[in-house]
Amino acid sequence: MEENSDDDQICMPEVVDEIKPKIGMEFGSVDEAFLFYNHYAREAGFSTRINNSKKDKITNEVVWKQFVCSKEGHTDEKKKQPSDEKRRKERARSQVRTGCRSKISIVKAQSGTNWDVSAFQESHNHPLSTPSKQIRLLEIEYGGSEHIGCTETDIRNFERDLKNEQKVIDAETLIKFFASKKEKNSDFFFIYETDSEKRLNRCFWADAVSRRTYSAFGDVVVFDTTYNTNKYGMIFAPLVGVNHHHQTIVFGCRFLSDEKTESFVWLTSW
């Protein structure tokens, strides 16, 4: 693989917007942020690694962290040149670095325990991986498809299982986020239920502002269940009303796994 210059921008990941990191996005810990970035990377077709960190000069506490594409930096040309066989395997394993600048940086919030995304570079200077490309690389490394031990379908099924596992992790992350909001402001309210397989089934939340506006303008409440989140198979249903300026205001939000009567009964109980 030929190295590309740092300024090349060959590929932009083709992923849904909801899984992309965004400036200002909050995480409860470094591990949570790295987990999110790894999930995004898997969907985009590249691998990651932890790069740099900075510490507070007074407290010696880590306050800044950076995660990068595994192709960040350059291969050390001063090292002994590897054999053709070793070089071929390294290429197949995508270990050659190309100076890719794709990265995400997080900084510790000035108060509390949260970490905020402070920088995000989306583009890569190298092609991204797909199941077909992964199979071809494995065929190169192991000398043919008959020696791989899996097919492209197996890889796609494995990625599907990873996505399903990630959905559970995403739900846990959401609840942790709500819990952190509750710690910061006791007026923040949330409630949720899981099914027999510990999957998020129903969830309702309202922040302090929404609760205050409901107290003043909650005589009439409208809810809409037309927003379906295809990735998670859940319905997003905001509770809205109108204030004295005839402006639409939000009283609360909910996720529902279905539109059965018991789901709406559960909602009205809060």
Side-chain angles (χ1 to χ4, degrees), residues 26-28 32 35-36 114 166-182 188-194 199-206 229 232 234-236 253-256 266:
E26 294 184 348
F27 296 97
E32 186 179 308
L35 181 66
F36 180 89
N114 279 359
Q166 184 64 39
K167 289 179 182 178
V168 176
I169 296 173
D170 288 346
E172 293 174 350
T173 301
L174 177 66
I175 301 306
K176 287 181 180 178
F177 172 73
F178 284 160
S180 68
K181 297 286 286 186
K182 180 72 173 179
F188 182 89
F189 176 82
F190 74 98
I191 189 74
Y192 68 96
E193 278 189 357
T194 56
R199 295 175 301 189
L200 185 64
N201 196 31
R202 302 162 184 159
C203 181
F204 171 78
W205 72 96
T229 58
Y232 298 96
M234 299 193 77
I235 300 162
F236 174 67
C253 298
R254 67 198 175 176
F255 282 127
L256 298 174
W266 177 85

Side-chain angles (χ1 to χ4, degrees), residues 1 17 58 72 78 86 115 146 155 215 254 260:
M1 180 182 295
D17 189 62
I58 298 177
E72 183 271 345
K78 295 182 180 180
K86 184 176 181 181
W115 290 76
E146 66 275 14
I155 290 182
S215 298
R254 67 198 175 176
K260 296 179 180 179

Side-chain angles (χ1 to χ4, degrees), residues 35-102:
L35 181 66
F36 180 89
Y37 191 56
N38 269 322
H39 170 55
Y40 161 74
R42 285 199 303 268
E43 294 289 317
F46 68 98
S47 58
T48 69
R49 59 184 171 85
I50 298 175
N51 192 31
N52 297 322
S53 61
K54 294 180 181 178
K55 294 184 177 180
D56 185 285
K57 294 182 179 180
I58 298 177
T59 64
N60 204 38
E61 176 187 24
V62 175
V63 294
W64 180 86
K65 205 83 172 177
Q66 186 180 78
F67 313 129
V68 299
C69 172
S70 60
K71 290 182 179 291
E72 183 271 345
H74 291 282
T75 303
D76 191 351
E77 298 294 340
K78 295 182 180 180
K79 293 182 179 179
K80 182 179 179 181
Q81 292 296 319
S83 64
D84 291 342
E85 177 68 14
K86 184 176 181 181
R87 186 182 297 110
R88 177 178 61 79
K89 289 187 175 182
E90 286 181 345
R91 288 173 178 172
R93 293 170 184 164
S94 299
Q95 292 179 345
V96 177
R97 298 184 180 183
T98 65
C100 183
R101 290 183 173 180
S102 183

